[in-house]
Amino acid sequence: MGLLFEGGVINMVKISVIIPIYNCEQYIEQCVRSVLRQTLKDLEVICVDDGSTDQSVQVLRELMRTDERIILCQQKNQGPGIARNTGMKRAEGKYIAFLDADDFYWDQNGLEQLWKVCEAKKAAAGASLQWCVNGLVERLEDFEENVEEEKIIHYAEQQADYHFCCYLFLREMLIKKEIYFPAYLRFEDPPFLVRALYEAEHIAVADICLYYYRRPVAGKRFNEERTLDLLSGLMDNVLFAQKHNLKPLLYRTVRRLEYEYMGIILENILLDDLRIIEKLQQLNNVIRKIKEDTNYIIRPLRGLLLYVNQYDCKIIRKIKAYDEVILYGAGRYGQLFLEFLEERNCLEKVSTIVVTEQKNNKSELRGIKVKALKDLKKHKDSLVLVAAGENFQQEMEQILRKHGYRNYEMIRDEFLYLMTAQWNAE
């Protein structure tokens, strides 16, 4: 199917709101009406149908009968990034905003406030300081607490990579600099946002809550192909940050690779298809050079190496060598490790689960009592296994040593991620 356009626009367009649509019939009416209800009326709503097979287009056509500001573009399925690019090429507004079809605008005067602050400050980008996530209003993590409304932010100081839907962009800048979304099915918006804000240089902010975001379950949105696109997008931002000496962006992107997305990456690795492993190796080589550490191994690769080295068998052998095991950690990692032990018929080895403080922790997990570390009687012949994220391991080790424990071992969190991936695959 070629590209088709339907609908008309008003004469003067201040903002073009671009909505990519793919099978969102249950949300699309609320989404579009949230734009139409904005106090700023001089706008157009460019809905790009990306090959939907449900009733999304029919719902849109009914809405178009009531408001001439709605424009429908149709194309074959190519992903949300390409759909947004289509909308950008069709847009006539001075500024462009992006809205996903399963989300909507929260503040009815949000677009007007953003437009005013961009015009007043002559800024090529504007941002909302807050957004609403599944009903909870939050301040964007991109901005420090001392940022005030109508203040100008320098991108060199901020270096955001997320929340592109909370921004306005000067259309002339995007077109002139040829800033478009890459053709990725996942992580297509951070490379776009980074480039756009870098070119804008300055960002005008408004203390509003523009955007309502329905946060999905991340893992269910990924498969092998989308994981490859995720790694490509991360690589884009690593290289961009390196090229332009954007150190906070570089640090943030590497953290996303190693912590935020590690579980997803490991869940989607297929050992008979090396493409993800090859992407990880490419990223590892770039990050090694940046860190100037030839021995550095990124955490997803370390997790894979643990699997190759049969780390799980080594842990089980060690556990079986003791009459009693104490598990330190009752959070997500501790619960994952208990599940692993139950799978290996070793759960009965755990006599007690200890935590740093009893407050806000359950009294038992899987039938095993949870105690504060200070209340535990020392057993010199027991093995203490610490199940915690890498960020907390050093702190927990210090606490153990302070209480006189010497016989302990840190469970590698890469291993826990990998176990989760295996169970999900099954």
Side-chain angles (χ1 to χ4, degrees):
M1 178 192 295
L3 187 61
L4 302 176
F5 296 101
E6 297 179 35
V9 297
I10 55 179
N11 293 328
M12 180 181 176
V13 181
K14 292 176 179 175
I15 299 177
S16 299
V17 180
I18 297 171
I19 307 174
I21 298 164
Y22 180 74
N23 291 349
C24 287
E25 62 181 351
Q26 68 185 109
Y27 299 119
I28 189 60
E29 182 171 358
Q30 181 186 24
C31 174
V32 173
R33 287 195 184 280
S34 76
V35 186
L36 301 178
R37 282 197 298 267
Q38 289 290 303
T39 54
L40 181 76
K41 299 304 179 183
D42 304 332
L43 52 78
E44 60 181 2
V45 190
I46 302 178
C47 301
V48 184
D49 173 53
D50 193 40
S52 295
T53 57
D54 66 355
Q55 299 299 308
S56 296
V57 172
Q58 287 83 340
V59 174
L60 280 171
R61 286 186 173 134
E62 286 298 316
L63 290 169
M64 290 172 69
R65 294 181 181 180
T66 66
D67 201 308
E68 65 176 2
R69 293 175 295 173
I70 304 172
I71 300 165
L72 172 61
C73 310
Q74 289 184 272
Q75 63 183 31
K76 66 180 182 179
N77 182 247
Q78 298 174 71
I82 299 301
R84 295 187 193 106
N85 293 343
T86 297
M88 289 168 63
K89 293 171 184 175
R90 175 63 178 80
E92 296 183 4
K94 182 173 182 178
Y95 297 93
I96 286 178
F98 298 99
L99 174 61
D100 285 346
D102 52 351
D103 301 327
F104 58 92
Y105 284 143
W106 185 250
D107 280 355
Q108 290 191 27
N109 67 341
L111 288 180
E112 184 171 13
Q113 291 299 104
L114 269 183
W115 176 79
K116 283 181 177 179
V117 75
C118 285
E119 288 288 285
K121 300 296 182 180
K122 301 188 185 311
S128 165
L129 282 180
Q130 302 175 76
W131 71 339
C132 188
V133 182
N134 292 344
L136 180 65
V137 175
E138 300 176 356
R139 188 180 180 90
L140 292 192
E141 62 189 33
D142 309 331
F143 302 105
E144 298 177 358
E145 290 296 328
N146 61 353
V147 172
E148 300 173 353
E149 184 174 11
E150 298 188 5
K151 183 177 180 180
I152 286 288
I153 302 297
H154 299 272
Y155 183 66
E157 300 172 357
Q158 176 219 24
Q159 299 187 27
D161 61 341
Y162 272 18
H163 310 117
F164 78 109
C165 284
C166 295
Y167 288 81
L168 272 189
F169 306 95
L170 187 67
R171 180 174 63 89
E172 182 182 5
M173 174 196 71
L174 296 177
I175 301 302
K176 182 178 180 180
K177 297 293 184 178
E178 297 184 339
I179 302 173
Y180 295 102
F181 291 82
Y184 305 148
L185 295 178
R186 286 291 178 267
F187 211 80
E188 77 287 350
D189 47 289
F192 167 85
L193 180 62
V194 164
R195 285 194 62 206
L197 296 184
Y198 179 81
E199 291 295 342
E201 295 187 31
H202 304 102
I203 305 155
V205 297
D207 193 7
I208 56 171
C209 179
L210 172 67
Y211 202 85
Y212 188 104
Y213 176 57
R214 288 188 174 94
R215 176 170 283 152
V217 179
K220 294 182 179 179
R221 302 168 65 232
F222 284 85
N223 55 26
E224 188 186 10
E225 297 300 326
R226 293 178 179 187
T227 303
L228 285 166
D229 282 352
L230 162 68
L231 293 173
S232 295
L234 288 164
M235 177 69 89
D236 288 350
N237 278 4
V238 165
L239 294 175
F240 191 90
Q242 180 189 28
K243 178 180 179 181
H244 298 285
N245 195 30
L246 301 171
K247 291 182 179 179
L249 173 63
L250 178 61
Y251 174 80
R252 183 181 293 117
T253 305
V254 173
R255 293 279 301 176
R256 295 200 190 284
L257 166 68
E258 297 204 287
Y259 290 90
E260 183 176 345
Y261 292 110
M262 177 175 159
I264 288 169
I265 292 166
L266 292 177
E267 285 175 22
N268 289 283
I269 286 178
L270 299 177
L271 295 181
D272 58 349
D273 187 336
L274 300 180
R275 290 180 297 166
I276 290 179
I277 297 175
E278 289 171 351
K279 282 272 189 184
L280 288 172
Q281 289 174 329
Q282 292 169 10
L283 271 162
N284 196 71
N285 290 337
V286 172
I287 293 169
R288 274 182 175 178
K289 291 178 182 178
I290 293 170
K291 288 179 173 285
E292 297 182 348
D293 183 352
T294 57
N295 296 318
Y296 189 79
I297 301 175
I298 57 176
R299 294 177 77 254
L301 281 180
R302 281 156 52 190
L304 188 60
L305 288 172
L306 288 176
Y307 173 79
V308 173
N309 292 330
Q310 297 184 313
Y311 179 79
D312 57 336
C313 296
K314 294 176 183 178
I315 286 293
I316 292 298
R317 283 198 299 269
K318 188 160 190 175
I319 289 172
K320 288 182 176 180
Y322 286 84
D323 293 330
E324 181 187 49
V325 171
I326 298 167
L327 180 66
Y328 186 7
R332 177 171 175 249
Y333 287 99
Q335 293 179 46
L336 280 172
F337 191 65
L338 289 173
E339 188 172 348
F340 162 71
L341 292 178
E342 189 172 43
E343 288 274 328
R344 296 302 183 92
N345 297 315
C346 288
L347 191 60
E348 71 280 358
K349 285 281 189 176
V350 181
S351 64
T352 312
I353 300 168
V354 296
V355 293
T356 305
E357 294 182 2
Q358 187 68 51
K359 184 176 65 174
N360 298 328
N361 280 293
K362 295 180 179 179
S363 60
E364 65 174 49
L365 287 173
R366 294 184 180 267
I368 304 169
K369 288 186 177 180
V370 179
K371 296 182 179 180
L373 184 62
K374 64 181 178 61
D375 297 329
L376 184 70
K377 293 181 180 179
K378 294 186 182 66
H379 299 270
K380 64 179 181 179
D381 296 327
S382 298
L383 171 67
V384 180
L385 294 174
V386 181
E390 190 174 64
N391 288 346
F392 299 100
Q393 287 179 0
Q394 185 176 0
E395 176 187 346
M396 294 172 80
E397 183 176 12
Q398 291 173 352
I399 293 171
L400 282 171
R401 295 185 73 85
K402 179 181 177 181
H403 283 78
Y405 291 91
R406 296 294 182 269
N407 190 24
Y408 57 83
E409 180 163 336
M410 304 290 170
I411 302 300
R412 302 291 295 270
D413 56 350
E414 302 100 322
F415 160 73
L416 294 173
Y417 271 126
L418 195 61
M419 290 300 97
T420 306
Q422 289 177 330
W423 294 327
N424 289 345
E426 293 170 2

